[in-house]
Amino acid sequence: EIVLTQSPGTLSLSPGERATLSCRASQSVSSNYLAWYQQKPGQAPRLLIYGASSRATGIPDRFSGSGSGTDFTLTISRLEPEDFAVYYCQQYGSSPRTFGQGTKVEIK
Amino acid sequence: QLQMQESGPGLVKPSETLSLTCTVSGGSIGSGSSYWGWIRQPPGKGLEWIGSIYYSGSTYYNPSLKSRVTISGDTSKNQFSLKLSSVTAADTAVYYCARVSGPMDYWGQGTLVTVSS
């Protein structure tokens, strides 16, 4: 089973700042099948990024994903008020599909 | 626009079987282009993949739950279902259904299932 470790656990930033979230895998993620999700309180997760760097339909271009192998990054170029949420990475290259523990982006 | 809705009891007694159904609209689970899956999230915690089903009936389960999980589909009703047996308090969670087209791109709103006597 691939273990995904996200860092930091919490990121305290102000609107307009840049957010950089990390996701590290315990072994290489097959075909870079790595996704990022955003979850707000009381809501289902929303797919942001798939294939490590492809934005899902309707996702603003301030969200970008990068990385390969075992190290992946989600970057939010300029935080908007609606971006404060919890972010999860997930690998779907091997079974069982696994999630990271999440990074909370909170308002500073 | 694909929509998904979970339904089922919100309270289950310990040792009993949790049963949930996901109804899909705006798309067909029998189309063969996607898997259909279940994910859960204990209160205040992270996400856990439970398993997935393909239109052919092939299933894939998380090994940590495999002995207790059954996922089945009914293409005539455009629904798929989850059964989790011998539940304990540790199975208390919000249960989500999702379309699995590689990543999970469409999600239901989730339903809270509490295991308690």
Side-chain angles (χ1 to χ4, degrees):
Chain A
E1 169 175 325
I2 295 179
V3 176
L4 299 177
T5 302
Q6 293 186 240
S7 61
T10 302
L11 201 50
S12 298
L13 295 168
S14 300
E17 289 193 296
R18 181 184 187 92
T20 303
L21 288 66
S22 174
C23 177
R24 178 162 292 178
S26 60
Q27 55 189 280
S28 185
V29 175
S30 176
S31 302
N32 293 329
Y33 283 160
L34 192 286
W36 290 92
Y37 301 85
Q38 176 194 67
Q39 187 178 35
K40 297 180 181 178
Q43 296 185 16
R46 177 175 70 145
L47 177 65
L48 299 175
I49 301 288
Y50 64 94
S53 60
S54 297
R55 270 188 302 276
T57 303
I59 301 304
D61 61 7
R62 65 180 181 273
F63 291 92
S64 63
S66 62
S68 64
T70 60
D71 288 298
F72 300 89
T73 300
L74 174 69
T75 301
I76 311 171
S77 59
R78 293 173 310 280
L79 282 164
E80 297 288 341
E82 62 267 28
D83 299 337
F84 292 92
V86 179
Y87 293 82
Y88 294 95
C89 59
Q90 182 236 339
Q91 66 80 22
Y92 53 99
S94 62
S95 192
R97 295 159 181 261
T98 50
F99 291 89
Q101 82 279 18
T103 290
K104 182 178 182 180
V105 179
E106 65 176 22
I107 300 177
K108 187 174 182 179
Chain B
Q1 175 78 349
L2 193 74
Q3 293 187 314
M4 308 178 72
Q5 179 69 57
E6 305 88 351
S7 59
L11 181 64
V12 181
K13 290 182 168 56
S15 80
E16 296 190 343
T17 296
L18 177 160
S19 296
L20 295 174
T21 296
C22 182
T23 301
V24 179
S25 58
S28 171
I29 69 168
S31 67
S33 59
S34 298
Y35 287 77
W36 305 89
W38 290 96
I39 304 94
R40 71 179 183 178
Q41 184 172 37
K45 297 188 178 180
L47 299 160
E48 179 181 33
W49 174 72
I50 299 171
S52 303
I53 187 168
Y54 196 48
Y55 81 103
S56 62
S58 299
T59 52
Y60 302 88
Y61 300 137
N62 191 324
S64 67
L65 298 168
K66 187 174 183 178
S67 63
R68 298 193 292 130
V69 172
T70 303
I71 296 176
S72 59
D74 186 337
T75 54
S76 67
K77 295 181 179 179
N78 220 28
Q79 296 176 332
F80 61 102
S81 298
L82 169 70
K83 291 188 184 301
L84 181 65
S85 63
S86 305
V87 298
T88 69
D91 297 308
T92 293
V94 175
Y95 286 76
Y96 296 101
C97 60
R99 187 178 80 166
V100 185
S101 60
M104 296 160 195
D105 56 356
Y106 287 93
W107 295 65
Q109 66 184 27
T111 187
L112 174 63
V113 179
T114 301
V115 178
S116 176
S117 56

